Amino acid sequence: MSRELVLVLDFGGQYNQLIARRVRECNVYSEVVPFDITIEKIKEKNPKGIIFTGGPASVYGKESPKCSKEIFELGIPILGICYGMQLMTHTLKGTVARANKREYGTTDVSIDNTSPLFQGFDNQNGFLMSHTDYVETVPEGFKNIGHTNSCPNAAMENKERKLYGIQFHPEVNNSVNGTLVIKNFLFNICNCSGDWQISSFVEDSIKALKEKIGDKKALCALSGGVDSSVAAVLLSKAIGKNLTCIFVDHGLLRKNEGDEVEEIFTKNYDLNFIRVNAKDRFLN
């Protein structure tokens, strides 16, 4: 399947899936991948851009997640968010320091709206901050494009290398018009076309499943949650009665939820559904 792709490198933050969702809402396909994905794998995927997520670690921690310095030499635009900005700074020989006081909450950020990352913004905008460490000195070749009263480098750019960092979280609702930052990164910096649709993803997924499974049978562990339910529906549309879903009722679901899951999948989808009553085993 040929389509534009943005990779979201997961550094352990709580908003990783939300970042990927915001990219997709801009009609650009995104995938969340581990922070230690190999350079070879990145080249193979051939993304239009890369986003580093936030995370709870400090770049100076022994066990903190790191990525290869080579990623910055690929010529692929990169946006570092929160920890992602700090990691970019640390890797490229800027300095990251510990703040005297943690900055948390929606904060007024003074920004340089001549930057392609902040096109369409006023000189000041409210963004969600959530950090203890901060960028004290930006790496060589970068310029400051944002600050707050307590954070001297809230945003930075190296326009020539298409490397950008922001200390705040544009993906959350607390940030005023934050999705525009992501949109600017995708279209002004990565030059994405925005021609991907979720409907085409569903169609492509069903087609790929049909080709992979053929006339064989498949087994799906169905919990009733979003992930397994979506997987079950896609599989049922691809192979119908060749799919068997096993739903284990462990007795710890919400009231009537087990019955609701059974009703949905037996009445609406052409598949084999097996419900296992394992309440006593789990509760014991």
Side-chain angles (χ1 to χ4, degrees):
M1 285 174 275
S2 178
R3 62 188 171 208
E4 292 180 334
L5 168 68
V6 168
L7 291 180
V8 178
L9 264 61
D10 181 357
F11 287 95
Q14 60 180 316
Y15 300 129
N16 302 339
Q17 292 293 339
L18 183 57
I19 294 169
R21 176 180 170 180
R22 295 293 184 239
V23 173
R24 293 172 194 157
E25 286 172 349
C26 295
N27 296 327
V28 177
Y29 183 65
S30 63
E31 284 183 14
V32 180
V33 296
F35 68 88
D36 56 355
I37 183 174
T38 64
I39 295 299
E40 290 71 28
K41 193 69 175 176
I42 292 174
K43 289 179 180 177
E44 181 185 316
K45 287 180 175 288
N46 191 30
K48 294 279 287 187
I50 298 172
I51 298 177
F52 290 0
T53 74
S58 168
V59 292
Y60 295 113
K62 286 184 179 179
E63 303 298 323
S64 61
K66 304 284 199 314
C67 62
S68 169
K69 185 178 181 181
E70 198 178 338
I71 197 170
F72 300 106
E73 310 301 328
L74 295 175
I76 301 170
I78 299 176
L79 173 64
I81 297 176
C82 199
Y83 176 84
M85 174 184 179
Q86 296 165 13
L87 179 63
M88 182 185 294
T89 299
H90 180 67
T91 307
L92 298 177
K93 307 304 182 186
T95 55
V96 177
R98 176 75 61 166
N100 294 326
K101 183 181 179 182
R102 185 187 181 207
E103 191 172 34
Y104 182 79
T106 302
T107 306
D108 286 335
V109 183
S110 298
I111 54 180
D112 178 357
N113 58 12
T114 64
S115 167
L117 192 64
F118 296 135
Q119 183 179 315
F121 282 94
D122 292 330
N123 290 323
Q124 197 168 72
N125 198 79
F127 293 113
L128 178 76
M129 288 282 198
S130 178
H131 65 102
T132 302
D133 290 354
Y134 71 99
V135 172
E136 187 175 48
T137 307
V138 300
E140 185 178 348
F142 283 75
K143 65 174 279 194
N144 176 298
I145 55 171
H147 67 275
T148 71
N149 290 335
S150 57
C151 183
N153 296 295
M156 65 181 189
E157 72 174 5
N158 185 321
K159 199 178 292 187
E160 183 181 340
R161 297 176 67 184
K162 295 188 175 181
L163 302 178
Y164 292 78
I166 50 178
Q167 187 58 67
F168 51 83
H169 289 272
E171 70 275 14
V172 299
N173 290 332
N174 308 61
S175 290
V176 180
N177 208 16
T179 302
L180 181 57
V181 176
I182 295 174
K183 190 175 288 186
N184 284 341
F185 176 68
L186 296 174
F187 298 114
N188 295 346
I189 297 162
C190 301
N191 295 318
C192 292
S193 60
D195 58 0
W196 177 82
Q197 299 288 337
I198 186 66
S199 57
S200 64
F201 173 71
V202 172
E203 291 165 11
D204 290 343
S205 297
I206 293 170
K207 182 181 177 183
L209 288 167
K210 283 180 178 177
E211 291 174 354
K212 186 169 187 177
I213 300 170
D215 59 358
K216 297 176 185 175
K217 297 186 183 298
L219 189 66
C220 176
L222 177 62
S223 71
V226 173
D227 292 346
S228 67
S229 294
V230 170
V233 170
L234 291 176
L235 279 163
S236 73
K237 290 181 181 296
I239 62 172
K241 281 292 187 180
N242 278 347
L243 171 66
T244 297
C245 290
I246 297 182
F247 169 59
V248 178
D249 187 344
H250 48 61
L252 300 171
L253 299 168
R254 287 180 281 266
K255 186 178 180 181
N256 301 325
E257 189 172 7
D259 294 336
E260 291 166 2
V261 171
E262 182 173 1
E263 183 179 4
I264 288 169
F265 282 93
T266 54
K267 289 188 176 180
N268 298 298
Y269 299 102
D270 184 31
L271 51 80
N272 300 300
F273 181 90
I274 298 173
R275 180 175 179 178
V276 180
N277 186 347
K279 294 177 183 178
D280 291 341
R281 267 194 286 170
F282 273 85
L283 294 175
N284 284 339

